[in-house]
Amino acid sequence: GENVEQHPSTLSVQEGDSAVIKCTYSDSASNYFPWYKQELGKRPQLIIDIRSNVGEKKDQRIAVTLNKTAKHFSLHITETQPEDSAVYFCAASRTYGNKLVFGAGTILRVKS
Amino acid sequence: GAVVSQHPSWVICKSGTSVKIECRSLDFQATTMFWYRQFPKQSLMLMATSNEGSKATYEQGVEKDKFLINHASLTLSTLTVTSAHPEDSSFYICSAPPGGTGINYGYTFGSGTRLTVV
Protein backbone atom coordinates (compact mmCIF):
# COMPACT_ATOMS: atom_id res chain seq x y z
CA GLY A 1 0.00 0.00 0.00
CA GLU A 2 0.87 3.66 -0.05
CA ASN A 3 3.58 4.96 2.25
CA VAL A 4 4.17 8.67 2.78
CA GLU A 5 7.35 9.96 4.38
CA GLN A 6 7.58 13.52 5.67
CA HIS A 7 10.56 15.64 6.67
CA PRO A 8 11.58 17.36 8.81
CA SER A 9 9.76 16.27 11.96
CA THR A 10 10.31 19.69 13.53
CA LEU A 11 11.13 23.02 11.95
CA SER A 12 11.89 26.29 13.68
CA VAL A 13 12.06 29.49 11.68
CA GLN A 14 12.26 33.15 12.44
CA GLU A 15 9.18 35.23 11.72
CA GLY A 16 9.31 36.44 8.14
CA ASP A 17 11.49 33.59 6.93
CA SER A 18 10.34 30.80 4.62
CA ALA A 19 9.53 27.25 5.65
CA VAL A 20 9.72 24.17 3.44
CA ILE A 21 8.34 20.75 4.29
CA LYS A 22 8.95 17.78 2.02
CA CYS A 23 7.10 14.52 1.43
CA THR A 24 7.76 11.46 -0.66
CA TYR A 25 5.24 8.81 -1.58
CA SER A 26 5.59 5.24 -2.75
CA ASP A 27 2.52 4.54 -4.87
CA SER A 28 3.05 5.85 -8.39
CA ALA A 29 -0.72 5.62 -8.93
CA SER A 30 -1.39 8.34 -6.34
CA ASN A 31 -2.62 11.53 -7.93
CA TYR A 32 -4.04 13.72 -5.17
CA PHE A 33 -1.81 15.41 -2.61
CA PRO A 34 -3.27 17.67 0.09
CA TRP A 35 -1.58 19.51 2.93
CA TYR A 36 -3.27 19.94 6.29
CA LYS A 37 -2.63 22.18 9.27
CA GLN A 38 -3.62 20.81 12.65
CA GLU A 39 -3.66 22.65 15.94
CA LEU A 40 -3.55 20.71 19.19
CA GLY A 41 -6.73 18.72 19.78
CA LYS A 42 -8.42 20.08 16.68
CA ARG A 43 -9.42 18.64 13.34
CA PRO A 44 -7.02 18.95 10.38
CA GLN A 45 -7.66 21.91 8.11
CA LEU A 46 -6.87 21.80 4.42
CA ILE A 47 -4.48 24.57 3.46
CA ILE A 48 -3.65 23.62 -0.11
CA ASP A 49 -3.79 20.63 -2.41
CA ILE A 50 -2.46 19.58 -5.79
CA ARG A 51 -3.33 16.96 -8.34
CA SER A 52 -0.92 15.03 -10.50
CA ASN A 53 -1.65 16.94 -13.67
CA VAL A 54 -0.25 20.11 -12.09
CA GLY A 55 3.36 20.82 -11.10
CA GLU A 56 2.82 23.79 -8.84
CA LYS A 57 -0.01 25.60 -7.12
CA LYS A 58 0.07 28.81 -5.14
CA ASP A 59 -2.31 30.52 -2.74
CA GLN A 60 -0.97 33.76 -1.31
CA ARG A 61 1.91 32.81 1.05
CA ILE A 62 1.47 29.08 0.53
CA ALA A 63 2.61 27.01 -2.42
CA VAL A 64 2.91 23.33 -3.20
CA THR A 65 5.16 21.74 -5.80
CA LEU A 66 4.88 18.22 -7.17
CA ASN A 67 7.48 16.10 -8.94
CA LYS A 68 5.70 12.98 -10.15
CA THR A 69 8.83 11.42 -11.58
CA ALA A 70 10.62 11.60 -8.26
CA LYS A 71 7.41 10.98 -6.31
CA HIS A 72 7.82 13.90 -3.99
CA PHE A 73 5.93 17.06 -3.17
CA SER A 74 6.72 20.02 -1.00
CA LEU A 75 4.95 22.73 0.95
CA HIS A 76 6.40 26.21 0.88
CA ILE A 77 5.30 28.92 3.31
CA THR A 78 6.74 32.38 2.77
CA GLU A 79 6.79 35.33 5.15
CA THR A 80 5.98 33.07 8.09
CA GLN A 81 3.97 34.47 10.97
CA PRO A 82 3.59 33.23 14.56
CA GLU A 83 0.07 32.02 13.76
CA ASP A 84 1.56 29.62 11.22
CA SER A 85 2.92 27.62 14.17
CA ALA A 86 1.13 24.25 14.13
CA VAL A 87 1.57 20.67 12.97
CA TYR A 88 1.49 20.19 9.22
CA PHE A 89 0.63 16.91 7.53
CA CYS A 90 1.01 15.90 3.93
CA ALA A 91 -1.18 13.16 2.50
CA ALA A 92 -1.62 11.16 -0.67
CA SER A 93 -4.52 9.41 -2.30
CA ARG A 94 -4.96 7.32 -5.42
CA THR A 95 -7.88 9.41 -6.50
CA TYR A 96 -9.65 12.42 -5.09
CA GLY A 97 -12.24 10.91 -2.76
CA ASN A 98 -10.31 7.79 -1.83
CA LYS A 99 -8.70 7.23 1.52
CA LEU A 100 -5.90 9.59 2.48
CA VAL A 101 -2.57 8.24 3.71
CA PHE A 102 -0.87 10.81 5.93
CA GLY A 103 2.76 11.61 6.52
CA ALA A 104 4.16 11.64 10.05
CA GLY A 105 3.74 15.38 10.47
CA THR A 106 6.00 18.40 10.93
CA ILE A 107 5.88 20.65 13.98
CA LEU A 108 6.46 24.18 12.70
CA ARG A 109 7.48 26.83 15.20
CA VAL A 110 7.67 30.41 14.06
CA LYS A 111 9.67 32.53 16.47
CA SER A 112 8.87 36.21 16.77
CA GLY B 1 -20.15 24.08 3.48
CA ALA B 2 -20.29 20.49 4.62
CA VAL B 3 -20.24 19.70 8.34
CA VAL B 4 -19.55 16.42 10.08
CA SER B 5 -20.65 16.48 13.70
CA GLN B 6 -18.70 14.11 15.93
CA HIS B 7 -19.72 13.17 19.47
CA PRO B 8 -18.62 12.95 22.13
CA SER B 9 -15.69 15.35 21.95
CA TRP B 10 -14.09 13.62 24.90
CA VAL B 11 -14.87 10.59 27.01
CA ILE B 12 -13.30 8.86 29.98
CA CYS B 13 -14.24 5.24 30.51
CA LYS B 14 -13.21 2.39 32.72
CA SER B 15 -11.09 -0.43 31.39
CA GLY B 16 -13.26 -3.22 30.01
CA THR B 17 -16.22 -1.06 29.05
CA SER B 18 -17.34 -0.05 25.57
CA VAL B 19 -17.53 3.41 24.08
CA LYS B 20 -19.50 4.54 21.04
CA ILE B 21 -18.42 7.48 18.90
CA GLU B 22 -20.85 9.00 16.40
CA CYS B 23 -20.25 10.99 13.26
CA ARG B 24 -23.17 12.63 11.53
CA SER B 25 -23.11 14.48 8.24
CA LEU B 26 -25.39 17.44 8.88
CA ASP B 27 -26.07 18.95 5.49
CA PHE B 28 -25.07 16.27 3.05
CA GLN B 29 -25.26 12.52 2.64
CA ALA B 30 -22.08 10.55 3.26
CA THR B 31 -22.10 7.08 1.76
CA THR B 32 -18.56 6.56 3.04
CA MET B 33 -16.75 7.56 6.23
CA PHE B 34 -13.06 7.16 7.02
CA TRP B 35 -12.10 6.52 10.65
CA TYR B 36 -8.66 7.56 11.87
CA ARG B 37 -6.80 7.18 15.15
CA GLN B 38 -4.15 9.65 16.24
CA PHE B 39 -1.85 8.98 19.17
CA PRO B 40 -0.19 12.00 20.83
CA LYS B 41 2.36 13.68 18.60
CA GLN B 42 1.75 11.14 15.86
CA SER B 43 0.04 11.03 12.52
CA LEU B 44 -3.50 10.13 11.57
CA MET B 45 -3.64 6.40 10.95
CA LEU B 46 -6.56 5.06 8.97
CA MET B 47 -8.37 2.34 10.88
CA ALA B 48 -11.26 1.53 8.60
CA THR B 49 -13.66 2.76 5.98
CA SER B 50 -17.38 2.47 6.60
CA ASN B 51 -19.84 2.20 3.76
CA GLU B 52 -23.58 2.69 4.04
CA GLY B 53 -25.34 -0.60 3.45
CA SER B 54 -22.28 -2.83 3.51
CA LYS B 55 -19.55 -4.06 5.81
CA ALA B 56 -16.71 -1.81 6.80
CA THR B 57 -13.27 -2.28 5.30
CA TYR B 58 -10.55 -2.52 7.94
CA GLU B 59 -6.89 -1.65 7.49
CA GLN B 60 -4.31 -4.30 8.15
CA GLY B 61 -3.67 -4.84 11.84
CA VAL B 62 -6.94 -3.30 13.05
CA GLU B 63 -9.06 -5.71 15.09
CA LYS B 64 -12.52 -5.90 13.59
CA ASP B 65 -14.08 -7.36 16.72
CA LYS B 66 -12.63 -4.66 18.91
CA PHE B 67 -13.43 -1.64 16.74
CA LEU B 68 -16.98 -2.10 15.53
CA ILE B 69 -17.93 0.21 12.73
CA ASN B 70 -21.46 0.68 11.52
CA HIS B 71 -22.83 2.95 8.82
CA ALA B 72 -26.50 2.90 9.72
CA SER B 73 -27.70 5.53 7.31
CA LEU B 74 -26.50 8.05 4.76
CA THR B 75 -25.88 10.53 7.58
CA LEU B 76 -24.61 8.41 10.47
CA SER B 77 -21.48 6.35 10.99
CA THR B 78 -20.43 4.98 14.38
CA LEU B 79 -17.28 3.52 15.87
CA THR B 80 -17.60 1.39 19.00
CA VAL B 81 -14.47 0.58 20.95
CA THR B 82 -15.32 -2.64 22.76
CA SER B 83 -13.64 -3.82 25.95
CA ALA B 84 -11.50 -0.71 25.98
CA HIS B 85 -8.05 -0.80 27.55
CA PRO B 86 -5.63 2.01 28.42
CA GLU B 87 -3.69 1.41 25.19
CA ASP B 88 -6.85 2.35 23.26
CA SER B 89 -6.63 5.86 24.68
CA SER B 90 -6.25 8.09 21.66
CA PHE B 91 -7.81 10.80 19.50
CA TYR B 92 -10.34 9.29 17.11
CA ILE B 93 -11.49 11.32 14.14
CA CYS B 94 -13.82 10.63 11.25
CA SER B 95 -13.70 12.07 7.76
CA ALA B 96 -16.25 12.06 4.97
CA PRO B 97 -14.74 12.05 1.49
CA PRO B 98 -15.63 14.66 -1.09
CA GLY B 99 -18.57 14.14 -3.36
CA GLY B 100 -21.43 13.22 -1.09
CA THR B 101 -24.56 13.52 -3.11
CA GLY B 102 -24.36 16.12 -5.78
CA ILE B 103 -22.03 18.74 -4.35
CA ASN B 104 -18.28 18.52 -3.86
CA TYR B 105 -17.41 19.73 -0.39
CA GLY B 106 -13.93 18.24 -0.15
CA TYR B 107 -12.83 15.94 2.66
CA THR B 108 -14.77 16.92 5.78
CA PHE B 109 -13.38 16.00 9.18
CA GLY B 110 -15.24 15.61 12.43
CA SER B 111 -13.95 17.51 15.43
CA GLY B 112 -12.46 14.39 16.97
CA THR B 113 -13.03 12.40 20.15
CA ARG B 114 -10.44 12.22 22.87
CA LEU B 115 -10.81 8.79 24.50
CA THR B 116 -9.14 8.13 27.83
CA VAL B 117 -9.40 4.63 29.30
CA VAL B 118 -8.60 4.39 33.00
Side-chain angles (χ1 to χ4, degrees):
Chain A
E2 174 69 279
N3 182 49
V4 178
E5 294 192 356
Q6 182 172 345
H7 299 280
S9 55
T10 60
L11 179 59
S12 290
V13 299
Q14 204 66 35
E15 182 178 0
D17 288 350
S18 295
V20 180
I21 303 170
K22 299 182 180 181
C23 286
T24 60
Y25 61 98
S26 61
D27 187 353
S28 56
S30 290
N31 67 7
Y32 176 66
F33 309 94
W35 285 90
Y36 287 90
K37 177 183 181 182
Q38 187 182 32
E39 297 181 357
L40 191 63
K42 301 290 179 85
R43 74 190 85 195
Q45 291 182 306
L46 178 70
I47 56 171
I48 197 166
D49 58 6
I50 194 168
R51 305 198 193 194
S52 61
N53 58 345
V54 176
E56 184 174 357
K57 184 176 176 182
K58 198 171 183 180
D59 183 4
Q60 299 182 342
R61 298 187 296 112
I62 295 172
V64 55
T65 58
L66 171 65
N67 183 327
K68 278 222 75 177
T69 304
K71 290 190 285 187
H72 68 69
F73 55 112
S74 300
L75 176 70
H76 304 253
I77 305 174
T78 59
E79 301 172 29
T80 53
Q81 301 166 3
E83 50 266 37
D84 293 329
S85 297
V87 182
Y88 290 81
F89 292 97
C90 62
S93 174
R94 276 206 162 188
T95 57
Y96 182 62
N98 275 15
K99 63 182 181 182
L100 293 173
V101 177
F102 285 85
T106 297
I107 300 171
L108 174 64
R109 296 192 185 94
V110 180
K111 297 176 285 187
S112 56
Chain B
V3 175
V4 170
S5 176
Q6 183 170 349
H7 292 280
S9 55
W10 61 270
V11 58
I12 301 173
C13 71
K14 289 186 177 180
S15 189
T17 61
S18 295
V19 172
K20 181 186 279 189
I21 301 169
E22 292 188 349
C23 281
R24 292 181 184 272
S25 54
L26 297 187
D27 46 5
F28 68 104
Q29 293 180 329
T31 56
T32 298
M33 192 72 74
F34 300 118
W35 286 93
Y36 292 89
R37 178 169 54 182
Q38 186 176 30
F39 291 111
K41 297 184 180 180
Q42 292 190 26
S43 187
L44 290 85
M45 299 300 296
L46 182 66
M47 300 175 66
T49 303
S50 71
N51 299 287
E52 191 271 336
S54 62
K55 290 184 179 179
T57 304
Y58 289 80
E59 296 299 303
Q60 194 171 9
V62 177
E63 299 174 62
K64 300 178 183 182
D65 295 334
K66 181 170 184 61
F67 299 100
L68 301 179
I69 289 176
N70 185 32
H71 203 120
S73 71
L74 289 172
T75 59
L76 176 63
S77 178
T78 60
L79 164 65
T80 301
V81 183
T82 64
S83 187
H85 290 286
E87 57 265 30
D88 299 322
S89 299
S90 188
F91 189 63
Y92 293 86
I93 190 164
C94 60
S95 173
T101 51
I103 302 175
N104 185 358
Y105 290 117
Y107 290 86
T108 305
F109 287 84
S111 54
T113 297
R114 172 74 57 196
L115 170 63
T116 302
V117 185
V118 297

